[in-house]
DNA sequence: ATGAATGCAAAAACTTTGCATGACG
DNA sequence: CGTCATGCAAAGTTTTTGCATTCAT
């Protein structure tokens, strides 16, 4: 992702913003909390305040560069929005996150909303899953 | 719901617990935050601490008497679990909440989990919807 | 240079916890 | 009467905000 994308979003290409984008793209973890991004930056020797992380992530979400997700647990996680729409399953044992998309479910959601006199604006779907133990 | 149900859950039938159950069943709102339950009790002239509300609601959730839901917004809401499994749609304009259940979606979720080598333990689905404006 | 962005610390919002008092069975 | 539950206040978490300083253009 280029500094260009920041400018397009009306955001100056500042050091903290570039670093945060880099972390979200580069580090192995695709879903990170604000705190995780913060620690990651500290480890990299970068001086960025936690408040800035929150401010920047919120701006990125508004700009559509990043998605915010609520997987339970009392805090939000952020992911680069470089993939088309998808939902998530979270392993209740390991915390592992898998992304998936199912057009059948998507369609059904639109139908259900319509049936109740609404139009679908957005949705949040998280499957909580577990690896079957031997013999299940 | 009887004091019996509390005892079955290993909970003494105390005044606060009975009152909170009553509110969750009786007041028009089916989905209430801890704060809302608290205010409702104050309005009714009941002396119950907010901490007790949180403690009691958590106990009710563990006992299966009540469900906790996270509809975004930074706080949880609670609903009496007197209805079979269902999901929710929330109107982004009015906050109105509608419950629904769709066996097609349920089935698909189990399949998707299985396809990825997991078993479905639970899920959270919230549709964010809006009433169509004239001409949509 | 000038407005926007940052860092720090303080505060806000929601929820949990410690401890002495009081209520249930 | 013993134990569990409550109330209050304090602390915990996550996130936001005010304000002086610094940075990007």
């Amino acid at each position: 992702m280029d500094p260009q994308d920041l400018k397009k979003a009306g955001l100056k290409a500042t050091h903290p913003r570039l670093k945060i984008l880099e972390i979200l793209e580069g580090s192995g973890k695709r879903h990170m909390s604000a705190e995780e991004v913060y620690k990651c930056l500290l480890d990299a020797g970068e001086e960025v305040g936690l408040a800035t992380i929150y401010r920047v992530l919120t701006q990125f979400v508004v700009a559509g560069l990043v998605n915010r997700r609520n997987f339970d647990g009392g805090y939000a996680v952020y992911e680069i929005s470089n993939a088309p729409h998808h939902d998530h399953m979270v392993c209740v044992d390991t915390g592992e996150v898998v992304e998936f998309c199912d057009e059948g479910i998507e369609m059904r959601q639109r139908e259900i909303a319509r049936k109740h006199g609404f139009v679908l604006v957005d949705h949040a779907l998280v499957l909580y899953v577990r690896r079957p133990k031997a013999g299940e």
Side-chain angles (χ1 to χ4, degrees), chain A:
Chain A
M1 197 158 302
D2 285 299
Q4 292 303 343
D5 297 298
L6 287 180
K7 290 186 186 140
K8 277 183 206 152
L11 299 170
K12 287 183 183 172
T14 65
H15 188 75
R17 294 213 261 243
L18 291 170
K19 282 302 172 191
I20 292 170
L21 259 192
E22 208 174 284
I23 295 274
L24 287 173
E25 297 184 299
S27 82
K29 274 187 80 72
R30 181 161 162 77
H31 300 88
M32 301 180 77
S33 67
E35 196 79 32
E36 283 173 326
V37 173
Y38 178 59
K39 286 189 186 130
C40 205
L41 283 173
L42 287 193
D43 289 352
E46 300 289 337
E47 291 283 321
V48 179
L50 183 54
T52 299
I53 311 269
Y54 276 105
R55 269 187 295 234
V56 168
L57 286 174
T58 302
Q59 293 160 346
F60 285 0
V61 169
V62 172
L65 299 173
V66 161
N67 297 126
R68 174 187 303 196
R69 307 282 184 179
N70 286 300
F71 291 163
D72 264 343
Y75 57 90
V77 296
Y78 301 83
E79 80 186 11
I80 277 271
S81 54
N82 53 8
H85 169 75
H86 58 268
D87 293 302
H88 299 83
M89 69 186 77
V90 181
C91 178
V92 295
D93 291 328
T94 67
E96 179 186 358
V97 178
V98 177
E99 300 182 343
F100 70 90
C101 185
D102 185 276
E103 185 47 42
I105 287 184
E106 303 289 323
M107 196 188 318
R108 202 77 167 224
Q109 291 179 358
R110 288 190 292 272
E111 267 171 39
I112 291 166
R114 189 173 44 72
K115 208 177 298 179
H116 288 265
F118 292 100
V119 292
L120 187 61
V121 172
D122 194 9
H123 71 265
L125 171 60
V126 183
L127 307 185
Y128 296 96
V129 299
R130 192 166 53 71
R131 295 234 179 255
K133 298 182 180 69
E136 284 185 310

